[in-house]
């Protein structure tokens, strides 16, 4: 059985993803969130860290769960009820958790945005949509009909896509930011794109898109967040010679 050092994997991820240099949301906790006894024989990748995905990881005999959305987004105590059940499950089954939120979104090769752009056949990417002084997405010049862009996105995410057809029928400047960037429509329009692809957004963004003359394609927060963890897990598997699998636990959101 191949075995890798958890500490070595964590060091590599922290450096490779530039965790310390990436300014994330205040409550996000990037990096190793739960450690195990020190070694990794199987990596599981999932979008979200939760009791359900931890159970899937245990059933798959993984000892490292790699996620985009980690355990900690607010007060981390008390560990009672279902949170105690989760903690006990992790410790009893020697399951470590490593989380990467914006560092994984923004990575120029393995990140959610780079991987989604590649899947959509968008090329000559340029930085797009600054957050805390850093760009987290990409934009591309193209000449693709709105219908074709929506069709590509549906095939790529493997599910429904909500289209707000408020911009031109031909998409010539396309911006991509996975996840929940729908609230940033105005900022996206100010950067000159005519089509904005993201995961989800609030109800009011429909009217705003119409006012801005901006096409918006919502591919799902979960669905657009699957690309980075898969790419990172595959990268770690090749580097550290341990197997990996993706745990699909879709939210439909």
């Amino acid at each position: 059985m191949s075995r890798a050092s958890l500490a070595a994997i964590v060091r590599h991820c922290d450096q490779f993803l530039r965790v310390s240099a990436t300014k994330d949301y205040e409550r996000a906790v990037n990096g190793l969130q739960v450690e195990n006894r020190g070694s990794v024989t199987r990596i599981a990748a999932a979008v979200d860290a939760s009791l359900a995905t931890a159970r899937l990881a245990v059933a798959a005999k993984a000892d490292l769960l790699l996620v985009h959305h980690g355990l900690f987004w607010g007060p981390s105590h008390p560990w009672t009820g279902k949170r105690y059940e989760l903690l006990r499950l992790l410790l009893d089954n020697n399951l470590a958790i490593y989380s990467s939120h914006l560092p994984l979104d923004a990575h120029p090769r393995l990140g959610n945005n780079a991987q989604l752009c590649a899947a959509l056949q968008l090329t000559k990417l340029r930085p797009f949509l600054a957050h805390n002084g850093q760009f987290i997405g990409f934009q591309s010049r193209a000449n693709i009909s709105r219908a074709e862009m929506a069709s590509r996105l549906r095939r790529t995410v493997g599910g429904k896509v909500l289209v707000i057809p408020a911009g031109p029928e031909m998409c010539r400047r396309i911006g991509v930011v996975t996840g929940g960037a729908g609230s940033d429509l105005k900022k996206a329009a100010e950067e000159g794109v005519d089509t904005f692809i993201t995961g989800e957004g609030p109800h009011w963004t429909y009217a705003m898109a119409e006012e801005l003359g901006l096409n918006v394609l919502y591919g799902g927060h979960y669905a657009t967040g699957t690309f980075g963890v898969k790419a990172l897990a595959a990268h770690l598997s090749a580097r550290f010679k341990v197997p990996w699998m993706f745990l699909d636990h879709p939210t439909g959101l």
Side-chain angles (χ1 to χ4, degrees), residues 20-212:
S20 62
T22 304
K23 296 178 182 178
D24 208 327
Y25 297 96
E26 183 179 354
R27 294 183 298 173
V29 181
N30 291 304
L32 185 66
Q33 294 192 334
V34 180
E35 65 180 333
N36 64 11
R37 298 187 190 105
S39 62
V40 174
T41 60
R42 186 180 297 267
I43 298 171
V47 174
D48 305 296
S50 66
L51 181 57
T53 55
R55 285 172 173 161
L56 291 174
V58 169
K61 302 188 183 306
D63 33 34
L64 172 60
L65 177 58
L66 186 70
V67 298
H68 181 46
H69 300 137
L71 292 171
F72 306 113
W73 296 94
S76 58
H77 58 79
W79 284 85
T80 58
K82 288 297 181 181
R83 290 186 69 79
Y84 167 74
E85 187 177 342
L86 172 58
L87 178 62
R88 182 169 181 175
L89 180 72
L90 298 176
L91 297 180
D92 286 351
N93 291 279
N94 191 40
L95 180 61
I97 294 182
Y98 186 95
S99 174
S100 183
H101 186 232
L102 286 189
L104 187 56
D105 279 326
H107 193 272
R109 186 162 59 88
L110 301 185
N112 283 312
N113 294 305
Q115 290 285 312
L116 179 55
C117 285
L120 293 174
Q121 303 171 46
L122 299 178
T123 59
K124 298 179 181 178
L125 304 181
R126 296 170 48 211
F128 173 67
L129 208 69
H131 173 79
N132 283 340
Q134 65 206 347
F135 290 101
I136 57 174
F138 294 100
Q139 63 170 298
S140 173
R141 290 191 178 274
N143 192 28
I144 306 169
S145 72
R146 183 173 59 216
E148 170 60 20
M149 196 71 262
S151 179
R152 287 188 193 182
L153 185 58
R154 275 191 291 270
R155 291 194 301 268
T156 299
V157 301
K160 64 180 181 180
V161 169
L162 173 63
V163 179
I164 305 177
E169 291 190 9
M170 293 301 297
C171 307
R172 291 186 168 84
R173 288 188 64 181
I174 302 168
V176 176
V177 178
T178 58
S183 297
D184 290 321
L185 296 194
K186 186 175 181 181
K187 189 185 296 185
E190 287 171 350
E191 294 197 28
V193 300
D194 56 47
T195 302
F196 184 39
I197 298 173
T198 186
E200 63 171 340
H203 175 76
W204 53 262
T205 59
Y206 196 102
M208 176 167 280
E210 290 180 321
E211 292 168 7
L212 293 170

